[in-house]
Amino acid sequence: MTFMKAWTTSTLSLPNTPDPIFLTAPQNHPNHRTYPLPTMSAITYKSGKEPHPNERRIIFKNVDREGWDQSIDTYEGEGGYDQLKRAVAMEPGAVTNEVKSAGLRGRGGAGFPAGLKWSFLPPNNTKPVYLICNADESEPGTFKDRYIIHQDPHQLIEGMAIAAFAVGAKLAYIYIREEFPQGAEILEKAITEAREKGYLGKNILGTDFELEIYVHRGAGAYICGEETGLIESLEGKRPYPRIKPPYFPAAMGLYLCPTIVNNVETLCHVRHILEMGGEEWSKVGTPNNTGTRILCVSGDVKKPGYFEVEVGKVTMGELINDMCGGLKDGRSLKAVIPGGSSAKVLRADETFKVGKGDDCKEISIWDIPMDFDTLAACGSMAGSGGVIVIDDSRSISWVLNNINNFYAHESCGQCTPCREGSLWMKKITDRLVADKAAPSDIETLDAVARNIDGQTICAFGEASSWPTESFVEKFKDELIADTKPELENTPVNAEKELAAAGLL
Amino acid sequence: MSDLVDVQINGEWHQFPKGTRMIEACREVGAEVPHYCYHPKLTSPGNCRMCLVQMGMPPRPAPGAEPAQPDEDGHVPISWMPRPVIACANTVAPNMGIRTQGELTENVREGVMELMLANHPLDCPICDQAGECHLQEYSVEHGKGEGRFREQKVKKPKNVDVGPRIRLDDERCIMCSRCIRFMDEVADDPVLGFTDRGSHTTLAVYPGRELDSNYSLNTADLCPVGALTSNDFRFQMRVWFMKEINTIDTNCGTGANITVYARQGEIFRIKPRQNNSVNSDWMPDSHRLSFHWINDEETRLTSALAKDENGNHQVVTNENAYAIAAAKLSKYKGHEIAIIASARMTNEELFMVKRLAKHLKAKIVETVPRTGEADGYLISEDRNPNTLGVKTVLGLDDPGSQLESIKDDIKQGQIHALITLQEDLITDAGFTDDDLAGLDVLISSYPCANPTAERSDVVLPGGCWAEKSGTMLNIQGRLQRLNKVTDGPGTTEEPWEVIRNLQQALGGGNGIHSHTEIFNQLAETIPVFAGVKFQDIGDLGIPLVETDETLPLLEREKERVAQGLIVG
């Protein structure tokens, strides 16, 4: 087939071809390597939106790109859908194997290996298989998927089509959060274009492969991003996460059929894995933390934004100081939440033990490479890539209360610990920021969090309790400083207060 | 044996069939696991988290390592998981370990209880559930004893009128979703659901709909707290003051197993009692609430009556009533006498009817059929509780078929005396004043004043279903016990006593002092009952007669069990 030839001659030979543009990982990083960037020579970005030299743009190659639009013609002009053409000529299992050998880890939060997830589909399955793209990007601090959807929708559709081919799905859904109405329209237009061109529908590219993708608008809740909650919502029900076992999506997912749920960024990577080859792709990033990922930096930095970097090739210090222009003038770093608001907070003056055996060493927050394993070793997580920077102007009580507010508002209410605990924690920190808390309230706060952690149906329990646990662990003094010991034995009569306020 | 798996529970090894839920396995060996949302007849959402226990499995050998060696009993050491798991939805696995005690489990339960109570109002003194509230019970068994919650509790709707028979207090609701699942899965009327989210989650009825299913009151039984209460029972009686009597429902041929709650002879409520062969855990509202007339002394017959020479009823002692009745009856020959008994009578009473008929050589013995539409759940078409008993004990093939000929015989002067037992012929058997006008003697026994009694020469107060003991055969041929809840008002006697005393007055001998004695005679003389001892029947009854009747609700339940959706 002609497109196979095109692939063989151009792309596969690329790594050996010297290329003038190199994007380099930090020179001091142990895994430092340089790679040629395939087709970026001609790319220019909109003024003021240029990628930082530390970036390696694969997924975000076309984001903020000069002259780029969302049309399929533009996408095809850059080799779009070539990888789908390539995939349908392969065995589905071979595609999965490429993804496995690439070592692609999910970009939604948990970092679970995507290829392994796909291989959990039951053998000898006779039911339909569904593919769901989780575009319910709602973790506070995370804003990457929206740019893919808004600016490069066909990349997602191509990735989904390849993934659907690999897992044997004929029907795929994009579950997009309610708050992205424009994104949903863009995707629907892109799907129409792709169907007109024969990349979706029946007999895709002249093969037996068929696929329909539908856009499903979300229900406006954080919990809709939890994969089983998402499935329930897609089925038209309240997004109550399901118990696992038995409802592992790969076996009993949408309509109790085998279902694969992947994040937007994860699915986009599939396209590039095919383009580069799994082996080659796995050389991007660091071992076990392969590929690039998009870090979304928000908070107290001069230049917040999104940065696509090779996983583990950029340290926290490089991210904050180089890529984000550093902290605001005259401020110092207090803490960083490295993987979306549910990740455990890292204190600026902590040291972290990373590495095993002989490689074991203590590093400061600035030297943490932003990869899955290191951030886990530091007691937090890479999560969804939302890096929230907190400087010394922030009150920790206020930050925690803000986070608690979010989780109390978003707890679905299905299971007891999270339902009751998230609001309780919020009410305690509400008092804390209103100067109405006693020192013992901090102990209660921590105890409530630990009563949620590990005892809920879904990971929301951890998401809502980890911030409190880590803030209390690392900033106990500061939290206690915001309390008033004289309130310790003051009887609290909440009902009386409500009555006095005319609320009862 | 291959279907059994070895499971260690609190240090002891046991065997359970594969697929057994952990919670059921624990229950079986006496290690009860507290739970709110789990119910064996409903799907398990695992939402209350009260049944969290510690679980362990044989360790997975590291790559290349030798698997752990089993001990002399063949058990490999258990590697305990740091996080608890729910016992309700997980099934046992070979060599699994479960700890329902110990630090982890106890801490988790304490934590869940504290959270459960955080927004729960402390209104036990005015809550109907107090005394049978799982929240109260588990607080004592597993709670902290002291709450740290100092905040304002969430305000939610109270005293919500969700349906004609049910009232909802949303603040008490612990969101276990049992009621929602029951209405969806069992009653096929999914009108309940949650609105809002987080701590503000609120149970509500679908807009524009009502919780008005004839099975709605089961939701109040299922509710582990006082969120859903019965309008009928609300504020009537503290549960600890009531006596519980296990008996059966007599509103139809299903014979749902029930528990009657009574205090000092007054019935306050009826709840279904689990019998997986009859009514599962449920009963229809219409049957549950049909007891109020029993307490109504205005309409009850409280003494025997006999007509004086002017045709007016006068109160007489029971002894005199029997003597008068016997004197009147003895004027007639057997072929001039008919007896109309009831399929609401117990087998023992019917046996006594048979004995009386034999003594009188009565021409006809008949009962009154009673039918209605089957509801596709638990209400059977046959609205008599013991039609099969009539067929078996009285030997009537087609009960009710002779009623017309009795009317004709009376008109034609062939039947002069009629004894009617536990039936109101005018209201329920299509008799008119005219039909009865040709009788010389009408003797009736019934719990309430009624038009037939009004016409009767002698009226004998006979107790209703709650005032007598005995056995009945339901439509499936299951022999079940009816147990006396209370004495009838005034000089009311159990119907079998009425018949015995009447026969005694007729010179028909004595020798029977209890309903169990009658049962023994029944077992000796009627082949179907041969060999059955009264004490063998137990609370759940025994299958006795083969019929092809099935109960639709049970059939659907069996399907859900087969699908693994519920435990059953």
Side-chain angles (χ1 to χ4, degrees):
Chain A
M1 281 191 249
T2 50
F3 50 84
M4 278 296 290
K5 269 185 198 152
W7 159 263
T8 322
T9 51
S10 65
T11 327
L12 273 188
S13 60
L14 260 173
N16 302 322
T17 316
D19 192 290
I21 296 210
F22 287 84
L23 292 183
T24 61
Q27 298 290 333
N28 58 350
H29 193 274
N31 294 318
H32 172 80
R33 273 198 299 264
T34 58
Y35 290 101
L37 200 69
T39 51
M40 282 188 76
S41 47
I43 297 175
T44 53
Y45 288 91
K46 287 175 184 156
S47 168
K49 301 270 190 183
E50 298 89 352
H52 188 273
N54 279 5
E55 285 194 59
R56 175 155 184 194
R57 291 274 179 113
I58 295 178
I59 300 293
F60 265 24
K61 188 180 90 178
N62 303 319
V63 169
D64 300 329
R65 187 174 162 181
E66 201 70 69
W68 184 262
D69 63 33
Q70 307 134 344
S71 72
I72 196 162
D73 294 336
T74 306
Y75 187 68
E76 281 181 316
E78 291 270 325
Y81 289 104
D82 284 356
Q83 302 317 314
L84 176 61
K85 292 172 189 165
R86 186 159 180 273
V88 296
M90 295 165 70
E91 283 296 314
V95 177
T96 304
N97 283 340
E98 288 296 324
V99 175
K100 272 188 179 170
S101 66
L104 171 63
R105 292 174 68 166
R107 302 300 199 235
F112 193 80
L116 192 58
K117 197 183 224 180
W118 295 3
S119 60
F120 286 159
L121 289 173
N124 311 320
N125 169 51
T126 53
K127 290 180 175 177
V129 175
Y130 297 106
L131 174 74
I132 298 173
C133 169
N134 185 347
D136 193 74
E137 179 172 57
S138 39
E139 178 76 10
T142 313
F143 43 89
K144 58 187 179 68
D145 296 341
R146 62 160 68 196
Y147 289 97
I148 300 170
I149 291 164
H150 282 134
Q151 299 193 25
D152 202 0
H154 285 286
Q155 181 184 197
L156 174 60
I157 292 164
E158 186 179 8
M160 284 183 73
I162 297 167
F165 176 77
V167 302
K170 292 177 181 172
L171 200 53
Y173 293 93
I174 301 174
Y175 188 97
I176 184 167
R177 71 181 300 199
E178 176 63 24
E179 294 83 345
F180 291 169
Q182 200 192 355
E185 282 166 20
I186 291 167
L187 283 170
E188 283 185 351
K189 183 163 176 278
I191 288 167
T192 309
E193 287 176 332
R195 196 184 287 117
E196 280 165 6
K197 294 264 188 176
Y199 299 129
L200 294 176
K202 291 202 186 297
N203 301 115
I204 292 170
L205 297 166
T207 67
D208 289 343
F209 176 45
E210 58 177 288
L211 175 68
E212 289 295 343
I213 300 180
Y214 295 104
V215 176
H216 186 96
R217 301 278 291 272
Y222 176 77
I223 200 66
C224 291
E226 198 279 344
E227 62 179 359
T228 56
L230 185 155
I231 287 168
E232 287 279 300
S233 176
L234 198 50
E235 288 182 2
K237 298 181 258 179
R238 280 171 76 85
Y240 277 171
R242 296 172 174 174
I243 47 173
K244 292 166 265 183
Y247 299 106
F248 292 108
M252 296 165 90
L254 185 62
Y255 310 119
L256 297 186
C257 295
T259 303
I260 297 295
V261 186
N262 281 136
N263 172 260
V264 173
E265 191 188 341
T266 314
L267 286 166
C268 289
H269 275 299
V270 172
R271 183 212 174 274
H272 302 284
I273 287 168
L274 276 206
E275 185 167 34
M276 297 170 72
E279 274 297 312
E280 228 14 71
W281 193 90
S282 74
K283 291 174 188 164
V284 182
T286 54
N288 203 37
N289 297 271
T290 52
T292 60
R293 78 170 305 176
I294 300 147
L295 297 176
C296 311
V297 186
S298 58
D300 299 321
V301 290
K302 279 188 180 151
K303 190 176 160 288
Y306 39 81
F307 305 93
E308 184 173 3
V309 298
E310 291 191 40
V311 183
K313 291 282 181 74
V314 168
T315 64
M316 186 80 82
E318 287 159 341
L319 181 68
I320 293 175
N321 292 327
D322 303 346
M323 302 175 82
C324 297
L327 299 167
K328 292 175 183 168
D329 292 335
R331 303 267 175 81
S332 59
L333 186 70
K334 191 176 215 172
V336 177
I337 302 171
S341 63
S342 57
K344 289 189 175 178
V345 68
L346 303 174
R347 197 178 153 118
D349 53 7
E350 288 184 84
T351 55
F352 305 94
K353 269 198 179 144
V354 297
K356 278 177 186 164
D358 293 343
D359 291 337
C360 185
K361 56 181 175 179
E362 274 202 19
I363 57 171
S364 77
I365 194 167
W366 302 106
D367 297 326
I368 298 173
M370 302 298 285
D371 65 55
F372 296 99
D373 293 343
T374 313
L375 283 165
C378 295
S380 187
M381 62 175 179
S384 55
V387 180
I388 302 168
V389 181
I390 300 161
D391 74 17
D392 60 341
S393 69
R394 304 291 172 192
S395 148
I396 282 298
S397 304
W398 188 91
V399 174
L400 180 57
N401 185 231
N402 193 345
I403 295 173
N404 283 349
N405 241 314
F406 175 79
Y407 288 109
H409 185 252
E410 293 296 342
S411 169
C412 78
Q414 184 185 200
C415 67
T416 312
C418 165
R419 176 184 68 232
E420 303 297 343
S422 55
L423 186 65
W424 188 352
M425 293 192 298
K426 178 213 173 239
K427 284 180 171 176
I428 293 175
T429 52
D430 274 351
R431 283 195 287 120
L432 186 63
V433 296
D435 287 337
K436 286 183 173 173
S440 67
D441 283 325
I442 305 302
E443 272 165 51
T444 308
L445 182 65
D446 190 51
V448 174
R450 286 175 203 283
N451 274 342
I452 304 171
D453 188 358
Q455 298 177 22
T456 53
I457 291 174
C458 78
F460 193 107
E462 284 78 53
S464 61
S465 59
W466 280 351
T468 292
E469 285 180 21
S470 62
F471 274 77
V472 173
E473 185 191 329
K474 298 186 178 180
F475 293 96
K476 196 167 190 176
D477 295 346
E478 193 175 333
L479 293 172
I480 287 186
D482 285 347
T483 62
K484 294 189 165 168
E486 64 268 30
L487 293 174
E488 200 62 83
N489 293 312
T490 317
V492 173
N493 189 338
E495 302 284 318
K496 202 173 167 186
E497 283 172 30
L498 272 184
L503 294 171
L504 262 188
Chain B
M1 284 305 276
S2 61
D3 282 348
L4 290 177
V5 293
D6 284 12
V7 178
Q8 191 201 67
I9 297 177
N10 296 332
E12 297 275 334
W13 286 96
H14 305 272
Q15 285 195 318
F16 301 99
K18 219 171 152 186
T20 306
R21 307 273 179 111
M22 286 163 70
I23 198 168
E24 294 293 338
C26 293
R27 189 209 303 268
E28 235 172 79
V29 299
E32 192 87 25
V33 179
H35 56 273
Y36 291 106
C37 69
Y38 170 75
H39 190 285
K41 302 296 170 61
L42 304 172
T43 54
S44 305
N47 64 34
C48 74
R49 315 310 282 178
M50 196 62 205
C51 71
L52 287 167
V53 293
Q54 193 172 21
M55 191 255 269
M57 292 296 292
R60 270 194 210 158
E66 286 291 307
Q69 287 306 307
D71 63 14
E72 54 207 29
D73 298 327
H75 298 128
V76 284
I78 292 166
S79 153
W80 295 96
M81 293 187 175
R83 286 184 164 196
V85 299
I86 47 172
C88 65
N90 288 310
T91 53
V92 293
N95 291 311
M96 175 188 269
I98 303 172
R99 283 176 180 159
T100 69
Q101 301 156 355
E103 200 187 343
L104 178 83
T105 313
E106 281 158 23
N107 282 347
V108 164
R109 285 178 188 166
E110 208 176 87
V112 172
M113 275 316 301
E114 187 180 23
L115 291 163
M116 199 77 90
L117 292 168
N119 281 300
H120 189 86
L122 277 176
D123 63 349
C124 306
I126 57 156
C127 178
D128 265 314
Q129 194 79 7
E132 54 181 12
C133 173
H134 289 257
L135 214 48
Q136 284 184 328
E137 287 162 16
Y138 292 159
S139 281
V140 174
E141 287 171 48
H142 310 290
K144 281 179 76 72
E146 193 188 354
R148 291 175 292 186
F149 189 82
R150 286 154 58 96
E151 324 303 324
Q152 289 164 359
K153 289 181 190 253
V154 174
K155 296 285 151 197
K156 286 190 197 172
K158 293 187 85 76
N159 200 9
V160 188
D161 193 0
V162 287
R165 293 174 291 280
I166 293 277
R167 202 153 284 269
L168 164 67
D169 184 321
D170 260 311
E171 289 186 352
R172 293 178 188 156
C173 175
I174 57 163
M175 278 68 86
C176 72
S177 76
R178 279 180 171 193
C179 54
I180 297 174
R181 283 174 281 141
F182 173 82
M183 290 309 296
D184 183 13
E185 297 165 15
V186 182
D188 303 316
D189 188 17
V191 291
L192 294 177
F194 288 131
T195 63
D196 285 324
R197 65 191 187 208
S199 271
H200 301 278
T201 303
T202 303
L203 178 70
V205 68
Y206 194 83
R209 295 288 314 275
E210 278 194 314
L211 176 59
D212 56 2
S213 153
N214 195 29
Y215 288 82
S216 69
L217 281 168
N218 294 296
T219 62
D221 302 338
L222 279 169
C223 184
V225 295
L228 291 170
T229 51
S230 154
N231 282 338
D232 186 66
F233 177 64
R234 203 171 144 87
F235 302 145
Q236 295 304 306
M237 184 49 64
R238 278 303 190 188
V239 295
W240 53 85
F241 288 135
M242 296 187 293
K243 198 168 79 171
E244 295 172 24
I245 297 97
N246 290 342
T247 182
I248 54 171
D249 174 63
T250 57
N251 284 286
C252 76
T254 303
N257 288 208
I258 57 173
T259 300
V260 179
Y261 292 73
R263 186 186 184 195
Q264 294 175 343
E266 190 180 347
I267 298 175
F268 283 92
R269 73 168 172 187
I270 291 171
K271 281 170 75 165
R273 175 166 57 86
Q274 186 186 351
N275 187 332
N276 289 351
S277 303
V278 183
N279 57 310
S280 186
D281 287 33
W282 328 115
M283 77 180 294
D285 295 0
S286 49
H287 292 187
R288 183 197 300 247
L289 297 178
S290 67
F291 67 88
H292 286 288
W293 66 272
I294 297 173
N295 297 332
D296 184 4
E297 296 215 0
E298 288 292 300
T299 61
R300 293 298 301 270
L301 282 170
T302 55
S303 60
L305 303 168
K307 276 190 177 162
D308 61 18
E309 53 274 17
N310 301 321
N312 295 324
H313 274 142
Q314 299 295 339
V315 172
V316 293
T317 62
N318 287 9
E319 287 76 11
N320 283 346
Y322 294 124
I324 296 165
K328 284 183 187 287
L329 286 171
S330 53
K331 290 180 188 157
Y332 300 94
K333 295 203 168 66
H335 67 266
E336 293 169 324
I337 302 173
I339 301 175
I340 299 180
S342 173
R344 288 168 165 177
M345 293 173 116
T346 63
N347 296 324
E348 292 74 10
E349 289 158 13
L350 293 167
F351 184 77
M352 295 299 281
V353 169
K354 194 177 178 179
R355 197 164 157 267
L356 175 68
K358 197 173 166 192
H359 180 76
L360 288 170
K361 300 189 176 69
K363 183 186 178 193
I364 301 178
V365 179
E366 183 53 293
T367 60
V368 180
R370 208 173 252 107
T371 54
E373 209 175 309
D375 73 344
Y377 292 86
L378 286 175
I379 302 180
S380 77
E381 196 183 338
D382 183 356
R383 299 299 167 85
N384 275 325
N386 198 22
T387 302
L388 199 55
V390 167
K391 291 180 181 172
T392 315
V393 178
L394 287 185
L396 298 182
D397 290 335
D398 187 7
S401 56
Q402 304 172 96
L403 286 172
E404 287 308 310
S405 63
I406 293 175
K407 285 180 197 168
D408 289 344
D409 287 352
I410 296 171
K411 276 203 184 105
Q412 288 161 20
Q414 292 183 15
I415 288 177
H416 296 283
L418 178 63
I419 304 169
T420 169
L421 299 163
Q422 297 294 315
E423 287 291 359
D424 169 8
L425 299 179
I426 291 179
T427 311
D428 292 336
F431 279 66
T432 60
D433 276 355
D434 201 32
D435 290 331
L436 298 174
L439 288 170
D440 297 334
V441 177
L442 176 59
I443 293 164
S444 73
S445 174
Y446 200 68
C448 298
N450 67 83
T452 309
E454 193 126 2
R455 296 204 52 88
S456 300
D457 298 293
V458 180
V459 179
L460 302 161
C464 72
W465 64 268
E467 294 153 0
K468 65 189 191 186
S469 295
T471 63
M472 290 188 175
L473 279 165
N474 82 348
I475 51 165
Q476 304 159 291
R478 193 173 187 85
L479 183 65
Q480 305 195 101
R481 275 169 61 171
L482 185 74
N483 292 316
K484 184 172 175 173
V485 176
T486 172
D487 287 328
T491 62
T492 302
E493 291 175 288
E494 289 194 43
W496 69 265
E497 293 175 306
V498 171
I499 305 164
R500 177 198 64 186
N501 294 346
L502 181 61
Q503 189 172 348
Q504 211 173 322
L506 284 162
N510 191 357
I512 289 173
H513 299 93
S514 72
H515 65 93
T516 50
E517 247 179 87
I518 309 174
F519 185 84
N520 290 342
Q521 291 196 13
L522 191 75
E524 279 166 26
T525 51
I526 295 176
V528 171
F529 291 87
V532 182
K533 293 195 176 67
F534 187 80
Q535 61 266 30
D536 294 342
I537 303 169
D539 264 355
L540 297 177
I542 50 169
L544 190 72
V545 183
E546 290 237 0
T547 70
D548 51 10
E549 295 278 354
T550 54
L551 292 162
L553 184 144
L554 285 195
E555 296 306 306
R556 290 194 291 271
E557 185 175 295
K558 279 181 209 156
E559 276 172 38
R560 290 197 300 277
V561 171
Q563 289 165 11
L565 293 172
I566 59 169
V567 169

